Each structure stands twice: as C-alpha cells, then as structure tokens.
Amino acid sequence: MLSLSDIREARERVAGVARHTPLERSRSFSEMSGADLHLKLENFQRTGAFKIRGAMNRIQTLSEAEREAGVVTASAGNHAQGVALAASRAGVDATVVMPKFAPVSKVKATRGYGASVRLEGVDYDEAQAYAHQLEREEGRTYVHAFDDPVVMAGQGTLGLEIVDDCPELDTVVVPIGGGGLISGVAVAIKEQLPDVRVVGVQAEGAASAAQSLEAGEVTEIDSVDTIADGIATRSVGERTLEVMAEYVDEVVTVDDREIALALTLLLERSKTLVEGAGAVALAAVLSEAFEYEDDETIVAALCGGNIDLNRLGTVVRRGLVQMGRYLKITIDLKDRPGELERVSSIVARTGANVYAVHHDRTSRDVAVNAAELELELETDDAEHAADIVDALEAEGYEVEIQS
C-alpha cells in the first residue's frame, strides 16, 4: 500500500522538474458556491498537467538496464507529455502510444518533448493494449499512467503542496480517471490531516470508479464518451482501487454540460484556461454534486490545461448555452419581401447581438412559398433568451430552439 513516506521521497526526486504550482482562493467561485473555495492551479505545471510528477518519479527509479532498454507507455495526452519530458531529461528513449483521436495539440506536444509517438486504437484502453505489445516485443519498461505505486507517489506530491499551502482545508476535490492522482493526493492529505474529506469526481461518460468501489473489484465499462478526454478511461486500476477504498470518502459524477460550464466560467471569471478534465472538480462544486457547508474550505484540483484549440471553441459554446448567453433558433418565414427585415427589427428591439444568419428557401423541409431562417444570437442570460423567443412568438412566428 502506498505510504506518506513514499510520497515524501518522491518529492525529492521530482523537485528539479515538477513545479510547486499556485493554490489561490477564488472570490468569484466562493461567492457562487457559498464555500471558501480555493483552486489548485496544476494547469500551470510543466507540460500543462500533473502527470509530470508521477512520470518523473518512475523514470528516476529505473535500473541502469531499464534505462538502456527504454520505456513505453500509453496515454490520451497528459501522461504522454509527462513521460516524454521525464525520459528526455533522464536520457531515456521513450515510445508513447496514443489513441487515434487524441487531441492534435497533445500529440504534437509529446513529439516536441522528444518521444516517438504511435497512434493506435480508438481510446486509452486500446492504445494501452498495443503499448504492452511493444513492451514484450522490444523489452521496454512499461510506465503505467496510474496503476503503479511509484507513479501514484509522484502524483501525491500535489497533495503535499495542498497541505503546505492550505492546512486549514476541510475538503479536497480531485478528478478521477484511472485513479492515480486521487490515490496519491488522498494518502498525502489523510495521513497528515485525517479529518479532511476527499471527494473524487468522474465524468458521467467515463464513470467506473463508483461502480468498482461498490463492487469491491475493478469494473470496466464498455466505452467512454466525454469532453474530459484526460480522464476518459474504461476502468480504474487494481492498485488505485485499493487505495481509494481506504482513503477516498465519496465519488460523484458530473456531465459534459456541467464540465463545459465550469470551463467557460474559469475562462471568464478567473482568466484561467483548463481542459475538460481540469474543470471537473470545480464543476462538482458548482453543481453541488456533493453536499458541503457554507464557508467550508474546499480545494478543487484543476489537474490540467492541455485543451485542443479546435475543441475549445465547441466547449465554450456549450458553456455559453448553459449560461444562457448563446441562443440558436430557426424560424419558418413566408417567402416575401420584408420578412427578414421584420424579424431583424424584432431581434434588435430585444437587444440581442447577432452572431450569424442563415436564410434557406431551397430545403426539402421548407414549403415552396416559405423560407427557413436560422439565427445565432448573443444573449445576456437565460431570461433574456426567453424574452427574445417570446417577442418573436408574439408576432406570430413559430420558433424552434436549437441550442
């Protein structure tokens, strides 16, 4: 079983590479939640995520023969970058297997840190199976993304920093993918502050931890589907499950809408960019996925910031929809002069800003004497969006809300 001394030893090994990242109180999110909410900004970590901690600790403990043979790993992106940088710093050859649909930015960054990248499989688990094949064929050491006590100890150094910087904390909220981060953090915190509550958070589309804890054994789900690709694993590990069963108090889930909202709010309120996995802890607090008291001191771990720019636009758009700040509607118009101007004047009176307009009179779904108008609008909030729809309907238009 992982111990506090393992984590303290890991801190010495990773100190030259992993940064002690900031832990800051958020006034905005404290006001929104009612809690005394602090953010552990691990998105400012080298490589943009916590994974460098565990990867560096594992690379540093390789034997000389293992260093000569090189390492191999599988990752959706953050662990890949951590292993690539740690291996490069140690002069160890590294091969990283990533899913075919891994974010392009993470693939490029991993290659940039010096690793050889192979794209195999549709998700982490299929990539991992291929990496184990390379392990056998090439004699490399497999560096597991989470189910390795040495990796877990490295991730636990984040927990040591939380205790150092916020010893008065009541609850820490940590994302769960395979369970390596929460295992290390939970041991680091509970062994020093046993009364602190540790809450784990999974994305609804990749939620195996609660099932595994209830069953008392690793339970694998059939597939994963979430914008939080950094924690999109089909199961937790056997070793991480053992630690979570002893040290984690509660596991909750959040859906993609809640994740998108938290990510968007972080951008707007804190000027902080995180990836989907980095937003789940805050999403759990804001959505009240678990119960907490007013003024309870909560630390939410923002575990990474490596979001693909193509995905960022989509996620922010979802977040704006959740906030009532974006409205997409379609209206069937009579195909006659002045109708588009009439609709435009109604929208203008409501004070909405137009993002885009699409006017189509050729669609098969539209009558011969009609046209379909699609509007994308910037709105102030959900009430403002409802007012726009009401104003159009009051003028006799049938409005279909797309998002």
Side-chain angles (χ1 to χ4, degrees):
M1 178 70 78
L2 182 65
S3 70
L4 180 60
S5 62
D6 293 331
I7 299 170
R8 284 175 169 159
E9 289 172 5
R11 177 157 60 178
E12 297 301 316
R13 296 191 192 101
V14 308
V17 176
R19 298 180 176 127
H20 185 131
T21 52
L23 193 153
E24 298 180 356
R25 183 182 186 275
S26 170
R27 185 178 68 177
S28 294
F29 293 124
S30 292
E31 290 175 353
M32 291 175 64
S33 66
D36 177 29
L37 187 55
H38 300 246
L39 305 177
K40 177 60 172 171
L41 300 172
E42 193 66 5
N43 53 308
F44 292 157
Q45 183 56 261
R46 185 166 282 133
T47 74
F50 71 94
K51 290 288 191 176
I52 184 62
R53 298 173 183 268
M56 194 66 196
N57 195 43
R58 184 68 185 90
I59 296 295
Q60 291 283 18
T61 58
L62 293 174
S63 69
E64 194 58 40
E66 289 171 331
R67 286 171 177 265
E68 287 293 325
V71 297
V72 62
T73 193
S75 169
N78 288 334
H79 178 64
Q81 294 172 71
V83 170
L85 178 59
S88 176
R89 292 289 294 265
V92 174
D93 185 69
T95 295
V96 177
V97 184
M98 304 178 74
K100 292 179 181 178
F101 304 112
V104 173
S105 59
K106 293 184 178 182
V107 174
K108 288 185 175 180
T110 302
R111 288 181 172 138
Y113 287 124
S116 171
V117 175
R118 302 194 190 186
L119 301 178
E120 295 287 340
V122 299
D123 60 16
Y124 167 78
D125 297 271
E126 291 187 6
Q128 183 186 47
Y130 184 75
H132 281 305
Q133 179 182 330
L134 294 180
E135 175 191 14
R136 294 187 295 271
E137 292 174 353
E138 300 179 5
R140 294 174 178 269
T141 296
Y142 185 79
V143 181
H144 204 288
F146 50 85
D147 205 26
D148 180 332
V150 180
V151 172
M152 292 154 60
Q155 320 302 27
T157 60
L158 186 149
L160 297 181
E161 293 175 11
I162 290 175
V163 173
D164 289 344
D165 296 340
C166 190
E168 70 279 9
L169 83 159
D170 299 307
T171 298
V172 62
V173 189
V174 185
I176 302 177
L181 177 62
I182 195 169
S183 295
V185 169
V187 171
I189 290 176
K190 287 277 196 178
E191 287 295 316
Q192 298 178 87
L193 302 172
D195 293 333
V196 170
R197 178 173 54 156
V198 177
V199 177
V201 189
Q202 288 202 297
E204 190 176 81
S208 64
Q211 296 177 32
S212 297
L213 287 166
E214 184 176 354
E217 62 182 9
V218 174
T219 301
E220 183 174 302
I221 58 178
D222 294 333
S223 62
V224 294
D225 183 15
T226 174
I227 61 174
D229 57 271
I231 54 173
T233 59
R234 293 185 196 172
S235 70
V236 296
E238 293 184 4
R239 295 178 179 87
T240 59
L241 180 62
E242 181 183 4
V243 176
M244 286 191 288
E246 181 168 345
Y247 288 94
V248 175
D249 296 287
E250 185 177 358
V251 175
V252 299
T253 61
V254 290
D255 62 33
D256 278 1
R257 294 174 303 167
E258 291 162 338
I259 297 169
L261 176 59
L263 189 154
T264 306
L265 286 169
L266 279 163
L267 272 174
E268 183 172 66
R269 301 294 181 88
S270 296
K271 311 300 181 271
T272 298
L273 176 64
V274 299
E275 59 190 284
V280 297
L282 178 61
V285 178
L286 296 181
S287 66
E288 298 183 357
F290 62 95
E291 294 183 0
Y292 53 86
E293 301 293 330
D294 289 344
D295 297 324
E296 182 173 331
T297 300
I298 301 175
V299 172
L302 309 187
C303 65
N306 294 318
I307 188 167
D308 185 80
L309 291 180
N310 290 322
R311 172 165 287 189
L312 178 60
T314 301
V315 174
V316 169
R317 185 65 55 84
R318 288 193 185 187
L320 289 172
V321 170
Q322 289 299 106
M323 296 163 69
R325 301 267 296 279
Y326 172 84
L327 177 65
K328 184 177 180 180
I329 57 175
T330 56
I331 307 168
D332 285 340
L333 302 180
K334 291 183 178 180
D335 189 14
R336 61 190 181 192
E339 279 297 297
L340 181 58
E341 181 181 2
R342 183 168 175 242
V343 170
S344 297
S345 62
I346 295 170
V347 171
R349 288 201 303 271
T350 66
N353 186 38
V354 179
Y355 278 128
V357 178
H358 180 68
H359 186 264
D360 185 5
R361 58 164 59 94
T362 62
S363 172
R364 292 181 179 180
D365 298 327
V366 178
V368 174
N369 63 341
E372 182 181 78
L373 178 66
E374 182 181 88
L375 294 174
E376 296 180 50
L377 305 172
E378 179 186 9
T379 53
D380 296 338
D381 50 34
E383 184 178 355
H384 185 207
D387 288 343
I388 295 167
V389 174
D390 290 343
L392 289 165
E393 290 179 339
E395 294 292 333
Y397 294 106
E398 292 187 9
V399 180
E400 183 177 349
I401 299 173
Q402 303 295 327
S403 60

